[in-house]
Amino acid sequence: MIEIKGLHKYFGDLHVLKGIDLTVKKGEVLSIIGASGSGKSTLLYCINGLEAIQQGEVLVDGVSVHAKGTNLNQLRTKMGMVFQQFNSFPHLTALENVALAPKIVKGKSKAEAKEIARAQLQHVGLGDKIDSYPSALSGGQQQRLAIARALAMEPSYMLFDEATSALDPELVGEVLDTMRLLAEEGMTMICVTHEMGFARDVSDRVAFFHQGIMEEIGPPKQIFSEPKSEHTAKFLANVR
């Protein structure tokens, strides 16, 4: 599981995360919603060790992410991360993009890495695009390529940072469908998202962030139908 205890994060004088306590269990899908600047994406970066923290602790399967002796590269193999931007290598085919990390980070043979890559590209619906370069793929396909690349490391957890926000509206559905598939397969997921339908339909719990505080967390039905916080109710009224 992922455990977050008393997490505080500052950027200079700006207090971005103000004492976050959160536990995400294996197999759970947690969606994090809230206005821009509320600390949602920063939380993911702290979980993955991409941002330092000033106070508190983040534990992944009992390992403290920010402790001095922690091997972050090894720990990150447990956490696949999908960003807003696709971050593909433009000079590599889809197959080569996905095979790269298993080969370099996990030490798989070239043949093994390619087999893993083929399987994951098939998994996300890109089995017919293995020889295509990123420039020949639509935005939705490029984001599914990014998901395949993360899955190739066989992670225990998937972190999605607004994975659909850079896409044209007509391409959003295919990425959300892939995320839904992973949820149905039992993947543990933390999804920062503006897609309220996804958060409502797919999540086990939804957390609402407001100005660096986790204002409210609960089952989707409760958050969307009977929010306890005025801030949650106001936010949902504006985004529906």
Side-chain angles (χ1 to χ4, degrees):
M1 66 174 73
I2 293 174
E3 298 174 88
I4 299 165
K5 302 176 180 178
L7 178 62
H8 289 263
K9 169 66 185 173
Y10 291 83
F11 289 114
D13 294 331
L14 185 63
H15 198 178
V16 181
L17 293 172
K18 304 170 183 175
I20 305 297
D21 292 294
L22 176 65
T23 299
V24 180
K25 294 180 178 177
K26 282 274 178 73
E28 183 176 15
V29 178
L30 172 71
S31 287
I32 302 177
I33 62 173
S36 295
S38 58
K40 311 181 301 294
S41 294
T42 301
L43 179 69
L44 292 190
Y45 281 63
C46 292
I47 292 171
N48 207 24
L50 293 169
E51 284 288 352
I53 63 175
Q54 280 68 52
Q55 191 179 325
E57 190 172 24
V58 179
L59 297 162
V60 175
D61 291 342
V63 177
S64 183
V65 173
H66 298 273
K68 279 187 178 178
T70 298
N71 183 335
L72 265 181
N73 287 334
Q74 186 177 21
L75 193 60
R76 282 188 189 127
T77 64
K78 290 188 173 189
M79 295 180 280
M81 185 143 178
V82 179
F83 300 87
Q84 293 177 37
Q85 301 304 324
F86 316 129
N87 299 322
S88 300
F89 293 104
H91 62 293
L92 300 179
T93 65
L95 185 74
E96 290 165 342
N97 261 286
V98 178
L100 193 63
K103 193 167 59 176
I104 292 175
V105 180
K106 285 205 157 184
K108 302 284 186 186
S109 70
K110 192 173 179 180
E112 278 181 303
K114 283 191 171 183
E115 199 55 45
I116 291 166
R118 278 193 191 90
Q120 292 303 345
L121 286 166
Q122 194 75 40
H123 192 183
V124 302
L126 293 177
D128 60 339
K129 301 291 183 184
I130 61 172
D131 295 322
S132 299
Y133 288 90
S135 60
L137 302 177
S138 70
Q141 289 169 337
Q142 288 192 60
Q143 194 59 295
R144 284 188 283 149
L145 171 60
I147 294 171
R149 207 169 55 227
L151 291 172
M153 295 299 288
E154 301 175 316
S156 302
Y157 309 96
M158 286 289 287
L159 311 177
F160 290 90
D161 181 21
E162 296 181 8
T164 59
S165 65
L167 299 176
D168 292 331
E170 68 270 19
L171 300 176
V172 168
E174 64 190 69
V175 175
L176 293 179
D177 286 345
T178 302
M179 293 168 68
R180 281 191 180 92
L181 172 67
L182 296 181
E184 288 166 7
E185 291 172 349
M187 174 62 76
T188 312
M189 296 162 59
I190 304 178
C191 309
V192 170
T193 184
H194 290 302
E195 301 293 336
M196 295 302 125
F198 174 87
R200 185 169 44 241
D201 298 342
V202 180
S203 310
D204 296 297
R205 288 188 298 164
V206 175
F208 172 69
F209 274 49
H210 177 70
Q211 296 181 355
I213 293 167
M214 189 168 70
E215 186 85 9
E216 186 169 358
I217 185 168
K221 188 175 180 182
Q222 180 260 305
I223 295 293
F224 285 98
S225 302
E226 300 171 9
K228 295 173 183 174
S229 158
E230 280 182 39
H231 294 301
T232 311
K234 188 176 179 182
F235 172 79
L236 291 173
N238 288 332
V239 297
R240 281 173 181 163

